[in-house]
Amino acid sequence: MRVMLVEDDARVAAALATALRRRGHDVAHCPTAQTALDTFAGEPFDLVLLDLNLPDGDGIEVCRTLRRKDETVAIIAVTARGEERDRVIGLQTGADDYVVKPYSMAELNARIEAVLRRASRAPQSAVEVLAAGPVRVDVGARQVTVAGRDVALTRKEFEILAVLVRTPGVVVSYDRLILAVWQTSFVGRHTLDVHVGSLRAKLDVPGLVQTVRGVGYRLVPGL
């Protein structure tokens, strides 16, 4: 895979790039926010590993810009910012996952593999349009509308909605939803909750996606 590594610490970047290349990835190292933006504009990438503490800008803004430019590229924030607020902002901005330093290479590799596996899944060719109340989900085109209004979702938000809309009224457990969307058990409940919260806000249909405390989520159609 083609990986863009955005990391200003030269020693950390060298070690991580070496480990990634040993696993067969093609790595481009960008030590600054501007270098990352310029490099991303010039060539396609499958994955971005993004430090949020950069010498010339905020990694959150870099994440937001990259996501605007490419909705499909996988982005993993790899940062020392471990506060809940930072995690929430990073995920809502468009990161697919969030890894806090220090981390083990085994964990990072597992998260990378899960994200890339999901990103490289072949798109469905069949037409599949699902509806729940005012919400319509075109699975093949990956488009969502609410009462005719287009709603832009991140990849993870779309996939969460697609799982729920296929099983209206049925409670989907936290573990099942995480495995369906991330295809790994490394992702925690908090990450799922953040994405669901963002999904609810964007759909703006009160009561559509309900929490069944301690169990999971369900979509209640006909609202």
Side-chain angles (χ1 to χ4, degrees), residues 46-48 63 67 71-77 90-91 94-98 111 115 119 154-157 159 182 187 191 195:
D46 302 295
L47 171 70
V48 177
C63 182
R67 183 54 72 210
E71 183 62 30
T72 64
V73 67
I75 302 175
I76 301 179
L91 293 169
D96 295 293
D97 204 348
Y98 196 104
R111 290 178 182 266
V115 167
T154 67
R155 184 170 61 248
K156 290 294 184 287
E157 291 164 357
E159 290 166 359
W182 281 272
V187 174
T191 297
H195 281 84

Side-chain angles (χ1 to χ4, degrees), residues 123-132 134-146 149-151 153 158-159 161-162 165-166 203:
Q124 297 186 18
S125 58
V127 175
E128 183 181 9
V129 180
L130 307 170
V135 179
R136 289 178 60 84
V137 181
D138 186 329
V139 177
R142 300 185 72 83
Q143 294 178 339
V144 176
T145 60
V146 177
R149 168 180 60 91
D150 289 333
V151 177
L153 301 180
F158 180 89
E159 290 166 359
L161 178 60
V165 80
R166 286 192 177 104
L203 294 177

Side-chain angles (χ1 to χ4, degrees), residues 1-6 12-13 15-28 45-51 72-79 95-100 103-121 155-156 181-187:
M1 295 290 179
R2 183 77 172 136
V3 180
M4 184 167 78
L5 172 60
V6 186
V12 172
L16 186 50
T18 298
L20 291 168
R21 289 178 180 126
R22 285 174 179 167
R23 296 183 67 84
H25 301 302
D26 185 9
V27 182
F45 288 91
D46 302 295
L47 171 70
V48 177
L49 296 178
L50 176 62
D51 186 8
T72 64
V73 67
I75 302 175
I76 301 179
V78 184
T79 176
D96 295 293
D97 204 348
Y98 196 104
V99 180
V100 178
Y103 54 85
S104 72
M105 200 62 210
E107 177 187 359
L108 182 60
N109 282 331
R111 290 178 182 266
I112 290 172
E113 289 169 4
V115 167
L116 291 179
R117 186 165 58 243
R118 192 68 182 178
S120 63
R121 175 175 289 181
R155 184 170 61 248
K156 290 294 184 287
V181 175
W182 281 272
Q183 297 187 357
T184 178
S185 59
F186 275 101
V187 174

Side-chain angles (χ1 to χ4, degrees), residues 30-43:
C30 300
T32 66
Q34 190 59 55
T35 303
L37 295 175
D38 292 343
T39 301
F40 193 82
E43 54 186 304

